[in-house]
């Protein structure tokens, strides 16, 4: 049990709360989009900003989670950046119905599509398709960001994939509603019109394949944008849009009415009872999680502050101790938890096992537990703080590759929804085995203490330093201890930037960086979303070496 008066507890608490404060500070900047002056310009046009639209649309006081708030963080510096990827993606509730809302942020480069914007939109569509959630698009975009067209236009996972997904989602019976609330140009014009229903705001919005300037240049026709593709044109002449709205709020109110009449989805049938708060104080997580990743801690102390009533039924408690598995409830939902254990423990054979490392017995236990959860139709939660698999002759002779493959196979073929929380380390093959992004978690988020990389910064810097020093010496350069130290620090600083959770979130390797206290909300809303999509294929792991 953690002691609040303990010096280590207080140190940990200070460090972790400072990281959450930094997270909140960064989020405040993200929420400003392109800045206060840009926000004022939108208001002068009689428009709400993207975030104001979402706030008005979503049910008041209902829970919500934001996907990809840090998309593009630190990227595209040569173009002045692209805050949140120029768009906002939220899972929330409209007229009591859980759904996804995607809004272009016109305060950021006029809502133009950067490569990361396309990747973010595709991720939100993926979440919609996996969970069969209705999706609402609030369109206000100048179209593809032309200086980077080669990185957004032609490839399989580029801009065109969005419209392909529109068609696939329609065939799947997923409701798609679009509101044209500003500019909607060129290829982007297909997104709202491939939705089930499209509405357009009068006077402030337009939709066309080419604007008036391009029309003039291409065919010599002189016409203004309103006549070319405004609300009156498309609601009364072309029939492209379904509803003409007098202003932003009128448009959003119409979406609420449509959402209030959508029929309920078939359910997957995941088990849920009345939710209970953890008995143990969730805020103590800040004091339990060590200030440095070299220090051990008991993951069960974290689990007991995340699960209902602090009740955790551990599976194979005395076997494979560097992975903890067990059943619990989170916000009433039944879950199976797979978590890395950071304390040094003894194996069933009496051998010392180092925390954060996956051994053969741990991998074997985890694989079997994952298969059990699939058999029982219980969603899986992975709590990652993993340094990788154990190496060395003893492990190799014991078949660590075989047992690791067994664990990866079980979770890769899992048919129940999976949710991944990166608490600390997420290194190497450990990331894969514990359901990293490549293994299709329904949601994957990081705490501010997380690090994602092939190996730790110190280990990578030492390895890269050896290569760099050897290369310099081969060219006849003399490497002094001072020069070597300078090289090491340069390499480590560069690598440390890359393993930051913000670097990962910027590239959408994770869906969000979250306050640890919000973990229960993310998992609960994720399972609620997954419950809209019945499991349609049987669990089958294929060939496994035992």
């Amino acid at each position: 049990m953690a002691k609040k008066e303990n010096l280590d507890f207080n140190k940990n608490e200070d460090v972790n709360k400072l990281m959450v404060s930094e997270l909140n500070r960064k989020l405040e900047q993200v929420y400003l989009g392109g800045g206060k002056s840009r926000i004022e310009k939108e208001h002068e046009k009689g428009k709400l900003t993207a975030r104001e639209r979402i706030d008005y649309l979503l049910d008041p006081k209902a829970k919500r989670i934001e996907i990809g708030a840090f998309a593009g963080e630190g990227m595209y510096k040569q173009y002045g950046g692209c805050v949140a990827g120029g768009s906002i993606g939220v899972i929330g509730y409209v007229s009591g119905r859980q759904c996804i809302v995607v809004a272009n942020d016109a305060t950021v480069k006029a809502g133009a599509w950067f490569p990361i914007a396309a990747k973010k939109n595709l991720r939100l569509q993926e979440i919609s398709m996996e969970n069969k959630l209705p999706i609402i698009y609030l369109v206000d975009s100048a179209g593809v960001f032309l200086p980077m067209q080669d990185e957004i236009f032609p490839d399989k996972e580029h801009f065109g994939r969005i419209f392909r997904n529109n068609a696939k989602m329609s065939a799947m019976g997923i409701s798609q509603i679009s509101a044209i609330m500003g500019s909607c140009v060129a290829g982007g014009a297909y997104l709202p019109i491939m939705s089930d229903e499209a509405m357009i705001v009068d006077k402030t919005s337009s939709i066309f394949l080419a604007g008036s300037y391009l029309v003039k240049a291409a065919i010599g026709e002189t016409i203004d944008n309103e006549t070319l593709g405004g609300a009156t044109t498309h609601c009364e002449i072309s029939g492209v849009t379904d509803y003409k709205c007098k202003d932003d709020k009128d448009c959003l109110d119409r979406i609420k009415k449509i959402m209030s009449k959508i029929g309920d989805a078939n359910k997957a049938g995941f088990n849920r009872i009345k939710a209970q708060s953890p008995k143990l104080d969730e805020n103590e997580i800040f004091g339990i999680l060590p200030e440095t990743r070299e220090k051990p801690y008991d993951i069960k102390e974290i689990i007991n502050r995340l699960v209902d009533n602090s009740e955790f039924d551990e599976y194979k408690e005395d076997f494979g101790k560097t992975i903890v598995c067990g059943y619990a409830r989170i916000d009433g939902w039944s879950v199976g938890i797979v978590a890395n254990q950071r304390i040094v423990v003894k194996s069933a054979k009496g051998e010392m096992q180092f925390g954060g490392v996956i051994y053969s017995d741990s991998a074997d236990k985890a694989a079997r537990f994952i298969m059990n959860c699939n058999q029982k139709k219980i969603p899986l939660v992975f709590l990652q703080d993993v340094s990788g698999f154990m190496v060395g002759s003893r492990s190799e002779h014991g078949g660590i590759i075989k047992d690791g493959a067994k664990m990866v196979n079980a979770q890769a073929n899992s048919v129940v929804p999976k949710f991944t929380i990166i608490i600390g380390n997420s290194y190497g093959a450990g990331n894969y085995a514990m359901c990293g992004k490549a293994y299709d978690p329904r949601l994957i988020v990081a705490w501010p203490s997380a690090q994602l990389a092939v190996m730790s910064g110190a280990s990578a810097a030492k390895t890269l330093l050896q290569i760099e020093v050897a290369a310099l010496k081969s060219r006849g350069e003399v490497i002094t201890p001072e020069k070597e130290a300078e090289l090491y620090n340069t390499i480590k600083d560069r690598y440390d930037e890359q393993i930051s959770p913000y670097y990962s979130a910027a590239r959408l390797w994770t869906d969000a960086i979250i306050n640890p206290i919000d973990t229960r909300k993310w998992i609960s809303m994720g399972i609620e979303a997954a419950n809209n999509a019945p499991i349609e294929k049987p669990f089958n792991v294929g060939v496994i070496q035992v």
Side-chain angles (χ1 to χ4, degrees):
M1 181 69 68
K3 300 287 185 183
K4 287 189 178 180
E5 63 274 14
N6 182 283
L7 182 60
D8 285 339
F9 183 98
N10 293 333
K11 272 186 180 178
N12 295 341
E13 188 175 47
D14 289 344
V15 168
N16 287 306
K17 284 190 173 181
L18 276 172
M19 284 194 282
V20 170
S21 295
E22 175 69 0
L23 169 64
N24 291 333
R25 185 190 68 77
K26 285 177 174 287
L27 284 171
E28 285 175 8
Q29 287 300 116
V30 168
Y31 296 156
L32 287 174
K36 292 180 180 178
S37 63
R38 298 271 184 176
I39 291 171
E40 288 169 6
K41 286 181 179 178
E42 291 300 296
H43 290 165
E44 287 168 6
K45 296 174 187 175
K47 296 165 65 178
L48 300 174
T49 65
R51 290 193 179 275
E52 288 168 343
R53 289 166 179 167
I54 289 173
D55 287 342
Y56 185 84
L57 179 63
L58 293 180
D59 294 348
K61 298 183 180 179
K63 293 187 294 184
R64 68 171 77 173
I65 54 179
E66 182 170 349
I67 305 294
F70 289 110
E73 170 90 357
M75 299 168 67
Y76 314 121
K77 291 178 182 177
Q78 70 273 38
Y79 300 114
C82 183
V83 180
S87 63
I88 300 157
V90 173
I91 301 177
Y93 302 84
V94 175
S95 300
R97 183 66 182 268
Q98 192 181 38
C99 61
I100 296 173
V101 182
V102 187
N104 300 115
D105 188 348
T107 71
V108 180
K109 300 292 188 296
W113 290 81
F114 281 68
I116 197 66
K119 185 174 182 178
K120 181 172 178 176
N121 200 302
L122 288 171
R123 173 59 180 148
L124 290 158
Q125 287 183 321
E126 179 184 41
I127 293 171
S128 173
M129 287 188 282
E130 285 179 331
N131 301 291
K132 296 191 175 177
L133 280 184
I135 188 165
I136 298 165
Y137 306 100
L138 307 181
V139 184
D140 192 349
S141 171
V144 167
F145 186 66
L146 289 177
M148 301 192 74
Q149 64 86 26
D150 61 323
E151 296 183 43
I152 187 174
F153 170 67
D155 209 348
K156 181 178 178 180
E157 299 295 332
H158 281 179
F159 194 45
R161 188 79 171 181
I162 293 169
F163 318 131
R164 174 264 189 194
N165 285 352
N166 287 141
K168 291 285 187 181
M169 292 162 74
S170 183
M172 293 169 66
I174 296 170
S175 294
Q176 299 177 85
I177 302 167
S178 284
I180 301 156
M181 308 186 78
S183 180
C184 189
V185 184
Y190 285 105
L191 184 148
I193 308 311
M194 292 187 74
S195 299
D196 302 337
E197 294 182 89
M199 52 215 70
I200 184 169
V201 179
D202 195 20
K203 300 295 186 276
T204 61
S205 305
S206 57
I207 178 170
F208 32 61
L209 294 180
S212 56
Y213 292 126
L214 184 54
V215 167
K216 176 71 173 176
I219 64 172
E221 181 183 3
T222 301
I223 190 169
D224 64 89
N225 283 339
E226 180 65 26
T227 306
L228 181 65
T232 299
T233 295
H234 286 309
C235 287
E236 298 180 18
I237 301 172
S238 72
V240 165
T241 51
D242 304 311
Y243 307 99
K244 180 163 72 171
C245 308
K246 65 180 181 181
D247 55 27
D248 281 9
K249 288 185 177 180
D250 182 43
C251 184
L252 298 169
D253 285 337
R254 186 169 290 278
I255 295 173
K256 293 179 188 181
K257 290 177 182 177
I258 293 171
M259 287 294 294
S260 71
K261 296 174 177 65
I262 293 176
D264 201 3
N266 295 328
K267 300 298 182 184
F270 301 124
N271 185 289
R272 191 182 198 185
I273 61 173
K274 184 179 178 181
Q276 298 183 63
S277 298
K279 269 187 182 177
L280 300 176
D281 186 358
E282 292 175 81
N283 287 291
E284 289 180 348
I285 288 172
F286 296 115
I288 296 167
L289 195 67
E291 56 172 319
T292 63
R293 50 200 67 247
E294 292 79 24
K295 292 184 179 180
Y297 67 98
D298 188 349
I299 190 63
K300 286 183 267 190
E301 294 284 358
I302 300 285
I303 292 170
N304 286 331
R305 287 161 177 79
L306 293 176
V307 300
D308 288 16
N309 208 32
S310 299
E311 291 180 355
F312 179 61
D313 301 320
E314 191 169 354
Y315 173 81
K316 289 185 181 287
E317 181 177 358
D318 298 319
F319 180 77
K321 292 185 177 182
T322 63
I323 288 184
V324 170
C325 300
Y327 303 105
R329 290 189 183 275
I330 292 179
D331 199 32
W333 294 104
S334 169
V335 296
I337 295 174
V338 181
N340 302 112
Q341 180 59 286
R342 292 289 297 179
I343 58 176
V344 178
V345 294
K346 282 186 179 181
S347 73
K349 296 178 181 178
E351 300 162 346
M352 297 305 293
Q353 296 188 338
F354 297 97
V357 180
I358 302 175
Y359 289 77
S360 285
D361 54 357
S362 299
D364 181 80
K365 175 174 83 171
R368 185 169 179 84
F369 180 73
I370 290 166
M371 289 188 272
N372 274 335
C373 287
N374 275 272
Q375 185 83 351
K376 297 177 176 68
K377 204 162 76 170
I378 298 174
L380 283 158
V381 175
F382 292 84
L383 303 179
Q384 280 196 15
D385 193 351
V386 58
S387 302
F389 285 87
M390 190 59 188
V391 297
S393 60
R394 183 189 293 270
S395 293
E396 297 295 354
H397 296 171
I400 185 67
I401 297 174
K402 175 189 67 178
D403 291 318
K406 188 189 306 181
M407 179 180 174
V408 170
N409 195 322
Q411 69 92 349
N413 284 296
S414 181
V415 295
V416 296
K418 300 174 293 186
F419 303 89
T420 301
I421 317 296
I422 305 172
I423 290 174
N425 299 339
S426 181
Y427 295 157
N431 168 281
Y432 303 156
M434 292 294 294
C435 198
K437 183 66 180 287
Y439 291 83
D440 302 317
R442 295 292 177 96
L443 294 171
I444 177 169
V445 298
W447 288 1
S449 48
Q451 290 188 353
L452 282 78
V454 172
M455 61 182 75
S456 71
S459 298
K462 288 174 186 175
T463 303
L464 293 169
L465 177 66
Q466 291 175 40
I467 296 169
E468 182 75 12
V469 168
L472 291 171
K473 285 181 176 178
S474 71
R475 295 199 292 267
E477 294 191 34
V478 177
I479 306 299
T480 63
E482 292 77 15
K483 177 66 174 177
E484 189 168 320
E486 183 184 342
L487 280 171
Y488 173 82
N489 290 330
T490 300
I491 293 168
K492 188 174 184 301
D493 288 347
R494 184 174 68 242
Y495 199 86
D496 283 345
E497 180 187 353
Q498 293 176 358
I499 66 178
S500 157
Y502 294 98
Y503 191 92
S504 301
R507 288 150 183 82
L508 292 172
W509 301 342
T510 58
D511 292 318
I513 304 170
I514 67 169
N515 185 331
I517 302 303
D518 289 333
T519 303
R520 281 170 54 85
K521 177 176 75 172
W522 274 79
I523 294 171
S524 176
M525 287 189 69
I527 298 175
E528 181 182 350
N531 201 37
N532 288 298
I535 296 170
E536 295 174 347
K537 65 177 183 178
F539 176 59
N540 185 347
V541 294
V543 177
I544 290 184
Q545 290 191 31
V546 294

